[in-house]
Amino acid sequence: MHAAMTSGDGPQRLMVVVAHPDDETFGCGSLLLHAAAAGATTAVCCATRGEAGEPAPGSGITNERLPAVRERELRAAAGLLQVSRVDLLDFADSGMSGPAGPETLVGAEFADVRDRVRERLEDFRPHVVVTLDAGDGHRDHARIRDATLAAVAQSRWQVARVYLQCLPQALMRRWLEHIAREHPTSQHLEGDVPGTPEELITTVVDTGKHLTERERAIAAHASQVSPYEGLPADLRLAFLATEHLRRITPEWRGGERERDVFFP
């Protein structure tokens, strides 16, 4: 495996591009640990400081303090995930809905978002880029996904492999069944099943051996309520011990699913 993780200019490099502090851990934490264990150098590029998030009940954190707290949590979690570099793009969190000012990720000029991501890509020169597929419907996740794909397309550095991190619909159905039992009035039960259809998932990586380390990184985001909090053990394991991705570059042409994101 380690022999496959080298190229003409040194170890493979993986960059994860996300919208908010905690996306790197709640979404891609096990993949970052997997990459580091395989000998890759990793980086996280985060668009905002998550200032529109809600402080966890009982945390004592005010909304004014939240951006600084969440940045510290991001950097602490990245250290636990063995990430070598963290870049912040300095957009404001757009929130889930409502007006989005020009300083926010959604309200900013798309070209500005794209170009800030592209600058980080050209500086870090990743072989693999992973961003969010936005199957959860969050508008900031969709924005950073679109900007990242556009940045890769325009970058002077050629990224070999591009992936979207996914939550499979089959797994989200199990989650909704749990929510229906425990919280039958939850707004999450309204609308369509979120997540990515199974037929779009191209890559499934077993990351179970990194579970303990990822749990530590999740705990570092103490200002936020983890989406895995209170889940039955089997469902929590299903979310945290396997990474599901959709390969965008090179274009997927079908066949057996990949079991890794790194190749010679």
Side-chain angles (χ1 to χ4, degrees):
M1 180 62 183
H2 285 272
M5 288 292 299
T6 59
S7 65
D9 63 341
Q12 291 275 320
R13 294 179 295 277
L14 178 144
M15 175 177 277
V16 167
V17 187
V18 296
H20 315 106
D22 76 31
D23 288 340
E24 84 298 330
T25 300
F26 294 168
C28 303
S30 293
L31 186 67
L32 284 164
L33 288 162
H34 170 79
T41 302
T42 61
V44 168
C45 177
C46 185
T48 79
R49 289 175 172 80
E51 47 268 83
E54 291 290 333
S59 66
I61 299 170
T62 63
N63 289 332
E64 291 73 22
R65 291 179 51 220
L66 189 60
V69 169
R70 295 198 73 183
E71 179 179 348
R72 287 198 300 272
E73 291 174 345
L74 166 65
R75 296 185 184 280
L80 293 168
L81 296 171
Q82 301 179 47
V83 172
S84 65
R85 167 175 170 169
V86 175
D87 287 313
L88 279 160
L89 300 184
D90 291 325
F91 293 102
D93 188 340
S94 311
M96 294 295 292
S97 61
E103 75 285 357
T104 68
L105 182 56
V106 164
E109 291 289 338
F110 180 80
D112 188 18
V113 183
R114 178 201 64 205
D115 289 348
R116 290 197 212 182
V117 175
R118 180 179 52 79
E119 288 169 3
R120 273 61 175 192
L121 288 176
E122 291 179 348
D123 188 52
F124 185 67
R125 302 192 305 160
H127 302 88
V128 179
V129 167
V130 180
T131 189
L132 309 170
D133 89 327
D136 59 359
H138 198 305
R139 59 182 181 173
D140 272 351
H141 294 174
R143 186 68 155 185
I144 200 64
R145 174 200 64 201
D146 295 346
T148 300
L149 295 179
V152 168
Q154 293 198 0
S155 175
R156 291 173 295 177
W157 168 256
Q158 185 173 357
V159 179
R161 308 178 80 82
V162 180
Y163 293 88
L164 304 180
Q165 186 268 338
C166 303
L167 293 170
Q169 278 187 341
L171 185 53
M172 295 305 290
R173 285 191 187 95
R174 289 177 57 189
W175 176 73
L176 287 173
E177 289 168 2
H178 166 75
I179 294 296
R181 290 192 300 270
E182 301 295 324
H183 309 284
T185 61
S186 172
Q187 63 180 4
H188 292 299
L189 300 173
E190 302 171 4
D192 298 330
V193 177
T196 305
E198 289 291 324
E199 62 270 20
L200 296 181
I201 295 173
T202 65
T203 310
V204 179
V205 184
D206 180 359
T207 57
K209 65 182 179 181
H210 304 297
L211 183 59
T212 299
E213 297 159 284
R214 186 175 182 185
E215 293 277 19
R216 292 193 189 104
I218 288 172
H221 286 285
S223 73
Q224 302 299 295
V225 177
S226 164
Y228 313 113
E229 188 72 25
L231 294 185
D234 62 333
L235 187 54
R236 186 180 180 96
L237 189 65
F239 275 110
L240 296 179
T242 307
E243 293 293 309
H244 301 86
L245 304 115
R246 178 183 179 187
R247 197 181 83 193
I248 302 299
T249 304
E251 182 182 355
W252 183 255
R253 300 189 182 276
E256 185 178 353
R257 283 174 169 170
E258 296 178 327
R259 298 298 174 185
D260 210 336
V261 299
F262 295 112
F263 294 89

